[in-house]
Coordinates of all heavy atoms in Angstrom, one line a residue:
M27 N 101.3 110.6 103.7 CA 102.4 110.4 102.7 C 102.6 109.0 102.3 O 103.6 108.3 102.6 CB 103.7 111.0 103.4 CG 104.9 110.8 102.6 SD 106.4 110.9 103.6 CE 106.4 109.4 104.6
P28 N 101.6 108.4 101.7 CA 101.7 107.0 101.4 C 102.7 106.7 100.3 O 102.8 107.4 99.3 CB 100.3 106.6 100.8 CG 99.4 107.8 101.0 CD 100.3 109.0 101.2
I29 N 103.5 105.7 100.5 CA 104.6 105.2 99.6 C 104.2 103.8 99.1 O 103.9 103.0 100.0 CB 105.9 105.2 100.2 CG1 106.3 106.4 101.0 CG2 107.0 104.8 99.2 CD1 106.7 107.6 100.2
R30 N 104.2 103.6 97.9 CA 104.0 102.2 97.4 C 105.0 101.9 96.3 O 105.7 102.7 95.8 CB 102.6 102.1 96.8 CG 102.3 103.0 95.6 CD 101.1 102.6 94.8 NE 100.7 103.5 93.8 CZ 101.3 103.6 92.6 NH1 102.3 102.8 92.3 NH2 100.9 104.4 91.7
L31 N 105.0 100.6 96.0 CA 105.9 100.1 94.9 C 105.2 100.5 93.6 O 104.0 100.6 93.5 CB 106.1 98.6 95.0 CG 107.0 98.1 96.2 CD1 106.9 96.6 96.3 CD2 108.5 98.6 96.0
N32 N 106.0 100.5 92.6 CA 105.5 100.7 91.2 C 104.5 99.6 91.0 O 104.7 98.4 91.4 CB 106.7 100.5 90.2 CG 106.3 100.9 88.8 OD1 105.3 100.6 88.3 ND2 107.2 101.7 88.2
E33 N 103.4 99.9 90.3 CA 102.3 99.0 90.0 C 102.8 97.9 89.0 O 102.1 96.9 88.9 CB 101.1 99.7 89.6 CG 101.1 100.5 88.3 CD 101.9 101.8 88.4 OE1 102.2 102.2 89.5 OE2 102.2 102.4 87.3
N34 N 103.9 98.2 88.3 CA 104.4 97.2 87.3 C 105.4 96.2 88.0 O 106.5 96.6 88.3 CB 105.0 98.0 86.2 CG 105.5 97.1 85.1 OD1 105.9 95.9 85.3 ND2 105.5 97.6 83.9
A35 N 105.0 95.0 88.2 CA 105.8 94.0 88.9 C 107.1 93.8 88.2 O 108.1 93.5 88.9 CB 105.0 92.7 89.1
E36 N 107.1 93.9 86.9 CA 108.4 93.7 86.1 C 109.4 94.7 86.4 O 110.6 94.4 86.6 CB 108.1 93.7 84.6 CG 107.8 92.3 84.1 CD 107.5 92.4 82.6 OE1 108.3 93.0 81.8 OE2 106.4 91.8 82.2
V37 N 108.9 96.0 86.5 CA 109.8 97.1 86.9 C 110.4 96.9 88.3 O 111.6 97.0 88.5 CB 109.1 98.5 86.8 CG1 110.0 99.6 87.4 CG2 108.7 98.8 85.4
V38 N 109.5 96.5 89.2 CA 109.9 96.3 90.6 C 111.0 95.1 90.6 O 112.1 95.3 91.3 CB 108.7 95.9 91.5 CG1 109.2 95.4 92.9 CG2 107.8 97.1 91.6
A39 N 110.8 94.1 89.9 CA 111.7 92.9 89.9 C 113.1 93.4 89.3 O 114.1 93.0 89.9 CB 111.1 91.8 89.1
M40 N 113.0 94.2 88.3 CA 114.2 94.6 87.6 C 115.0 95.5 88.5 O 116.3 95.4 88.7 CB 113.8 95.4 86.3 CG 114.8 95.4 85.2 SD 114.1 96.1 83.8 CE 114.0 97.8 84.2
I41 N 114.4 96.5 89.2 CA 115.1 97.4 90.0 C 115.6 96.7 91.3 O 116.8 96.9 91.7 CB 114.2 98.6 90.5 CG1 113.6 99.3 89.3 CG2 115.0 99.6 91.4 CD1 114.6 100.0 88.4
K42 N 114.8 95.8 91.8 CA 115.3 95.0 93.0 C 116.5 94.2 92.6 O 117.5 94.1 93.4 CB 114.2 94.1 93.5 CG 113.2 95.0 94.3 CD 112.3 94.1 95.2 CE 111.5 95.0 96.1 NZ 110.5 94.3 96.8
Q43 N 116.5 93.6 91.4 CA 117.7 92.8 91.0 C 118.9 93.8 90.9 O 120.0 93.4 91.3 CB 117.4 92.2 89.6 CG 118.5 91.4 89.0 CD 118.9 90.2 89.9 OE1 118.1 89.6 90.7 NE2 120.2 89.8 89.9
G44 N 118.7 95.0 90.3 CA 119.8 96.0 90.2 C 120.3 96.4 91.5 O 121.5 96.5 91.7
L45 N 119.4 96.5 92.5 CA 119.8 96.9 93.9 C 120.7 95.8 94.5 O 121.7 96.1 95.1 CB 118.6 97.1 94.7 CG 118.0 98.5 94.6 CD1 116.6 98.5 95.3 CD2 118.8 99.6 95.3
K46 N 120.3 94.6 94.2 CA 121.1 93.4 94.7 C 122.5 93.4 94.1 O 123.5 93.3 94.8 CB 120.4 92.1 94.4 CG 120.4 91.1 95.4 CD 119.3 90.1 95.2 CE 119.8 88.7 95.0 NZ 118.7 87.8 94.5
E47 N 122.5 93.6 92.8 CA 123.8 93.6 92.1 C 124.7 94.7 92.6 O 126.0 94.7 92.5 CB 123.6 93.6 90.6 CG 123.2 92.3 90.1 CD 122.6 92.4 88.7 OE1 122.9 93.4 88.0 OE2 122.0 91.4 88.2
K48 N 124.1 95.8 93.0 CA 124.9 97.0 93.4 C 125.0 97.1 95.0 O 125.3 98.2 95.5 CB 124.4 98.3 92.8 CG 124.6 98.3 91.3 CD 124.4 99.6 90.7 CE 125.5 100.6 90.8 NZ 125.3 101.9 90.2
N49 N 124.7 96.0 95.6 CA 124.8 96.0 97.1 C 124.0 97.1 97.8 O 124.5 97.7 98.8 CB 126.3 96.1 97.6 CG 127.1 94.9 97.1 OD1 126.6 93.8 97.1 ND2 128.3 95.2 96.6
G50 N 122.8 97.3 97.3 CA 121.9 98.3 97.9 C 122.1 99.7 97.5 O 121.3 100.6 97.9
Y51 N 123.0 99.9 96.6 CA 123.1 101.3 96.0 C 122.2 101.4 94.8 O 121.9 100.5 94.2 CB 124.6 101.6 95.6 CG 125.6 101.7 96.7 CD1 126.3 100.6 97.2 CD2 125.7 102.9 97.3 CE1 127.2 100.8 98.2 CE2 126.6 103.1 98.4 CZ 127.3 102.0 98.8 OH 128.2 102.1 99.9
C52 N 121.8 102.6 94.6 CA 120.8 102.9 93.5 C 121.3 102.4 92.2 O 122.4 102.8 91.8 CB 120.6 104.4 93.5 SG 119.3 104.8 92.3
P53 N 120.5 101.5 91.6 CA 121.0 101.0 90.3 C 120.9 102.0 89.1 O 121.5 101.8 88.1 CB 120.0 99.9 90.0 CG 118.8 100.1 90.9 CD 119.3 101.0 92.0
C54 N 120.3 103.2 89.4 CA 120.2 104.2 88.3 C 121.2 105.3 88.4 O 121.2 106.3 87.7 CB 118.8 104.8 88.4 SG 117.5 103.7 88.6
R55 N 122.1 105.1 89.4 CA 123.2 106.1 89.6 C 124.5 105.4 89.6 O 124.7 104.3 90.0 CB 123.0 106.8 90.9 CG 121.7 107.6 90.9 CD 121.6 108.4 92.2 NE 120.6 109.4 92.2 CZ 119.4 109.2 92.8 NH1 119.1 108.1 93.3 NH2 118.5 110.2 92.7
R56 N 125.5 106.2 89.1 CA 126.8 105.6 88.9 C 127.6 105.6 90.2 O 128.3 104.6 90.5 CB 127.6 106.4 87.9 CG 128.6 105.6 87.2 CD 129.1 106.0 85.8 NE 128.4 107.2 85.3 CZ 129.1 108.2 84.7 NH1 130.4 108.2 84.7 NH2 128.4 109.2 84.2
E57 N 127.5 106.7 91.0 CA 128.3 106.8 92.2 C 127.8 106.0 93.3 O 126.6 106.1 93.7 CB 128.3 108.3 92.6 CG 129.4 109.1 91.9 CD 129.4 110.5 92.6 OE1 128.4 111.2 92.6 OE2 130.5 110.8 93.1
Q58 N 128.7 105.2 93.9 CA 128.3 104.4 95.1 C 128.7 105.1 96.3 O 129.7 104.9 97.0 CB 128.9 103.0 95.0 CG 128.4 102.2 93.8 CD 128.6 100.7 93.9 OE1 129.2 100.2 94.9 NE2 128.1 100.0 92.9
I59 N 127.9 106.1 96.7 CA 128.1 106.9 97.9 C 126.9 106.8 98.8 O 125.8 106.3 98.4 CB 128.3 108.4 97.5 CG1 127.1 108.9 96.7 CG2 129.6 108.6 96.8 CD1 127.1 110.4 96.4
E60 N 127.1 107.2 100.0 CA 126.0 107.0 101.1 C 124.7 107.6 100.6 O 123.6 107.0 100.8 CB 126.5 107.7 102.4 CG 125.9 107.2 103.6 CD 126.0 105.7 103.8 OE1 127.0 105.1 103.5 OE2 125.0 105.1 104.4
D61 N 124.7 108.7 100.0 CA 123.5 109.4 99.5 C 122.7 108.6 98.5 O 121.5 108.8 98.3 CB 123.8 110.8 98.8 CG 124.2 111.8 99.9 OD1 124.1 111.5 101.1 OD2 124.5 112.9 99.4
N62 N 123.4 107.6 97.8 CA 122.8 106.8 96.8 C 122.4 105.5 97.3 O 122.1 104.6 96.4 CB 123.7 106.7 95.6 CG 123.9 108.1 94.9 OD1 123.1 109.0 95.1 ND2 124.8 108.1 94.0
K63 N 122.4 105.2 98.6 CA 121.9 104.0 99.1 C 120.4 104.0 99.2 O 119.9 105.0 99.6 CB 122.5 103.7 100.5 CG 123.7 102.8 100.4 CD 124.1 102.3 101.8 CE 125.3 101.4 101.7 NZ 125.8 101.1 103.0
C64 N 119.8 103.0 98.7 CA 118.3 102.9 98.7 C 117.8 102.8 100.2 O 118.2 102.0 100.9 CB 117.8 101.7 97.9 SG 116.1 101.8 97.5
I65 N 116.9 103.6 100.7 CA 116.2 104.7 99.9 C 117.2 105.9 99.9 O 117.5 106.5 100.9 CB 114.9 105.0 100.6 CG1 113.9 103.9 100.4 CG2 114.3 106.3 100.0 CD1 112.6 104.0 101.2
C66 N 117.4 106.4 98.7 CA 118.4 107.5 98.5 C 118.0 108.8 99.1 O 116.8 109.0 99.4 CB 118.7 107.6 97.0 SG 117.1 108.1 96.1
K67 N 119.0 109.7 99.2 CA 118.7 111.0 99.8 C 117.7 111.8 99.0 O 116.8 112.4 99.6 CB 120.1 111.8 99.8 CG 120.0 113.1 100.5 CD 121.3 113.7 100.7 CE 121.3 115.0 101.4 NZ 121.6 116.1 100.4
E68 N 117.8 111.7 97.7 CA 116.8 112.4 96.8 C 115.4 112.0 97.2 O 114.5 112.9 97.4 CB 117.1 112.2 95.4 CG 116.1 112.9 94.5 CD 116.3 112.6 93.0 OE1 116.1 111.4 92.6 OE2 116.7 113.5 92.2
F69 N 115.1 110.7 97.2 CA 113.7 110.3 97.5 C 113.3 110.5 98.9 O 112.2 110.8 99.2 CB 113.5 108.8 97.1 CG 112.1 108.5 97.0 CD1 111.2 109.2 96.1 CD2 111.5 107.4 97.7 CE1 109.9 108.8 96.0 CE2 110.2 107.1 97.6 CZ 109.4 107.8 96.7
R70 N 114.3 110.5 99.8 CA 114.0 110.8 101.3 C 113.5 112.3 101.3 O 112.5 112.6 102.0 CB 115.2 110.6 102.2 CG 115.5 109.1 102.5 CD 116.4 109.0 103.7 NE 117.6 109.7 103.6 CZ 118.7 109.2 103.1 NH1 118.8 107.9 102.7 NH2 119.9 109.9 103.1
E71 N 114.2 113.1 100.6 CA 113.8 114.5 100.6 C 112.4 114.7 99.9 O 111.6 115.5 100.3 CB 114.8 115.4 99.9 CG 116.1 115.5 100.7 CD 117.3 116.2 100.0 OE1 117.1 116.5 98.8 OE2 118.3 116.3 100.7
Q72 N 112.2 113.9 98.8 CA 110.9 114.0 98.1 C 109.8 113.5 99.0 O 108.7 114.0 99.0 CB 111.0 113.2 96.8 CG 111.8 113.9 95.8 CD 112.1 113.1 94.6 OE1 112.2 111.8 94.7 NE2 112.3 113.7 93.4
M73 N 110.1 112.5 99.8 CA 109.1 112.0 100.8 C 108.7 113.0 101.8 O 107.6 113.1 102.3 CB 109.6 110.7 101.5 CG 109.7 109.5 100.5 SD 109.9 107.9 101.4 CE 111.5 108.2 102.2
A74 N 109.7 113.8 102.2 CA 109.5 114.8 103.2 C 108.8 116.1 102.6 O 108.3 116.9 103.4 CB 110.8 115.2 103.9
D75 N 108.8 116.2 101.3 CA 108.2 117.4 100.7 C 106.7 117.2 100.5 O 106.3 116.4 99.7 CB 108.9 117.5 99.3 CG 108.4 118.7 98.5 OD1 107.4 119.4 99.0 OD2 108.9 119.0 97.4
P76 N 105.9 118.0 101.2 CA 104.5 117.8 101.1 C 103.9 118.1 99.7 O 102.8 117.7 99.3 CB 103.9 118.9 102.1 CG 105.0 119.8 102.4 CD 106.3 119.1 102.1
D77 N 104.7 118.8 98.8 CA 104.2 119.1 97.5 C 104.6 118.1 96.4 O 104.2 118.1 95.3 CB 104.8 120.5 97.0 CG 104.1 121.6 97.8 OD1 103.0 121.5 98.2 OD2 104.8 122.6 98.1
F78 N 105.5 117.2 96.8 CA 106.0 116.2 95.9 C 105.0 115.0 95.7 O 104.5 114.5 96.7 CB 107.4 115.7 96.2 CG 107.8 114.6 95.3 CD1 108.4 114.9 94.1 CD2 107.7 113.2 95.5 CE1 108.8 114.0 93.2 CE2 108.1 112.2 94.7 CZ 108.7 112.6 93.5
E79 N 104.8 114.7 94.5 CA 104.0 113.5 94.2 C 104.7 112.8 93.0 O 104.9 113.5 92.0 CB 102.6 113.8 93.9 CG 101.8 112.6 93.4 CD 100.3 112.7 93.7 OE1 99.8 113.8 93.9 OE2 99.6 111.6 93.7
G80 N 105.0 111.5 93.0 CA 105.6 110.9 91.9 C 106.5 109.8 92.2 O 106.6 109.3 93.4
Y81 N 107.2 109.3 91.2 CA 108.1 108.1 91.4 C 109.5 108.6 91.8 O 109.9 109.7 91.6 CB 108.3 107.4 90.0 CG 107.1 106.7 89.5 CD1 106.3 107.3 88.5 CD2 106.8 105.4 90.0 CE1 105.1 106.6 88.1 CE2 105.6 104.8 89.5 CZ 104.8 105.3 88.6 OH 103.7 104.7 88.1
C82 N 110.2 107.7 92.5 CA 111.6 107.9 92.7 C 112.3 107.9 91.4 O 111.7 107.4 90.4 CB 112.1 107.0 93.8 SG 112.3 105.3 93.1
H83 N 113.6 108.3 91.4 CA 114.4 108.3 90.2 C 114.3 107.0 89.4 O 114.2 107.0 88.2 CB 115.8 108.7 90.6 CG 116.7 109.0 89.5 ND1 116.7 110.1 88.8 CD2 117.7 108.2 89.0 CE1 117.6 110.1 87.9 NE2 118.3 109.0 88.0
C84 N 114.4 105.9 90.1 CA 114.4 104.6 89.4 C 113.0 104.1 89.1 O 112.9 103.0 88.5 CB 115.1 103.5 90.3 SG 116.8 103.7 90.6
M85 N 112.0 104.7 89.6 CA 110.6 104.3 89.5 C 110.3 103.0 90.3 O 109.4 102.3 89.9 CB 110.2 104.2 88.0 CG 110.3 105.5 87.3 SD 109.8 105.4 85.6 CE 108.0 105.2 85.8
L86 N 111.1 102.8 91.3 CA 110.7 101.7 92.2 C 109.5 102.0 93.1 O 108.6 101.2 93.3 CB 111.9 101.3 93.0 CG 111.7 100.1 94.1 CD1 111.3 98.8 93.4 CD2 113.0 99.9 94.9
Y87 N 109.6 103.2 93.6 CA 108.6 103.7 94.6 C 107.8 104.8 94.0 O 108.2 105.6 93.2 CB 109.2 104.2 95.9 CG 110.0 103.2 96.7 CD1 111.3 103.2 96.8 CD2 109.3 102.2 97.3 CE1 112.0 102.2 97.5 CE2 110.0 101.2 98.0 CZ 111.3 101.2 98.1 OH 112.0 100.3 98.8
Y88 N 106.5 104.9 94.5 CA 105.7 106.0 94.1 C 105.1 106.7 95.4 O 104.7 106.0 96.3 CB 104.5 105.6 93.3 CG 103.7 106.7 92.8 CD1 104.0 107.3 91.6 CD2 102.6 107.2 93.5 CE1 103.2 108.4 91.1 CE2 101.8 108.3 93.0 CZ 102.2 108.9 91.8 OH 101.4 109.9 91.4
K89 N 105.2 108.0 95.5 CA 104.7 108.7 96.6 C 103.5 109.5 96.3 O 103.6 110.2 95.3 CB 105.8 109.6 97.2 CG 105.3 110.3 98.5 CD 105.9 111.7 98.5 CE 105.1 112.5 99.5 NZ 105.3 114.0 99.3
S90 N 102.4 109.3 97.0 CA 101.3 110.2 96.7 C 101.2 111.2 97.8 O 101.8 111.1 98.9 CB 100.0 109.4 96.8 OG 100.2 108.0 96.6
K91 N 100.4 112.3 97.5 CA 100.4 113.4 98.5 C 99.5 113.0 99.7 O 99.7 113.5 100.8 CB 99.8 114.6 97.8 CG 100.8 115.4 97.0 CD 100.3 116.7 96.6 CE 101.2 117.4 95.6 NZ 100.6 118.6 95.1
E92 N 98.5 112.2 99.4 CA 97.6 111.8 100.6 C 97.1 110.4 100.4 O 97.3 109.7 99.5 CB 96.4 112.7 100.7 CG 95.8 113.0 99.3 CD 94.8 114.2 99.3 OE1 95.3 115.3 99.3 OE2 93.6 114.0 99.4
Ligands
SF4_111 S1 114.6 105.2 96.3 FE1 114.4 104.8 94.1 S2 115.9 106.2 93.1 FE2 116.3 106.1 95.3 S3 117.9 104.5 95.4 FE3 116.0 103.5 95.8 S4 115.4 102.8 93.8 FE4 116.9 104.3 93.4

């Protein structure tokens, strides 16, 4: 289950800045709740899903199947 950062360094810098401004909460979501703290619940579940391949909601991370 390899996880990597987006290959676009500008996207990574932008999302990381957003995370900083939101104190670690997902910059792509409005609600500042525990589930939306990076790494958010949605992506944790996607990481655990053997059939999932793709970016997290914000496109900071990419998960490959193998
Ligand atoms: S894993 Fe991605 S979608 Fe989830 S909080 Fe972090 S940046 Fe946002």
Side-chain angles (χ1 to χ4, degrees):
M27 175 200 71
I29 309 286
R30 61 163 174 80
L31 287 170
N32 191 316
E33 61 286 348
N34 184 328
E36 270 180 49
V37 171
V38 172
M40 207 171 71
I41 305 297
K42 284 196 167 170
Q43 180 62 30
L45 278 165
K46 217 159 121 188
E47 284 167 13
K48 291 191 83 178
N49 298 317
Y51 289 95
C52 187
C54 315
R55 294 184 168 98
R56 207 158 356 132
E57 276 187 302
Q58 297 201 355
I59 54 170
E60 203 54 36
D61 286 355
N62 291 348
K63 261 195 179 166
C64 195
I65 291 172
C66 60
K67 184 168 178 252
E68 179 186 65
F69 196 55
R70 284 199 304 268
E71 287 172 359
Q72 288 168 330
M73 289 192 295
D75 177 358
D77 291 327
F78 177 83
E79 174 153 19
Y81 291 100
C82 70
H83 189 74
C84 293
M85 295 183 73
L86 177 62
Y87 295 111
Y88 186 87
K89 182 214 163 200
S90 342
K91 278 192 195 173
E92 43 195 80

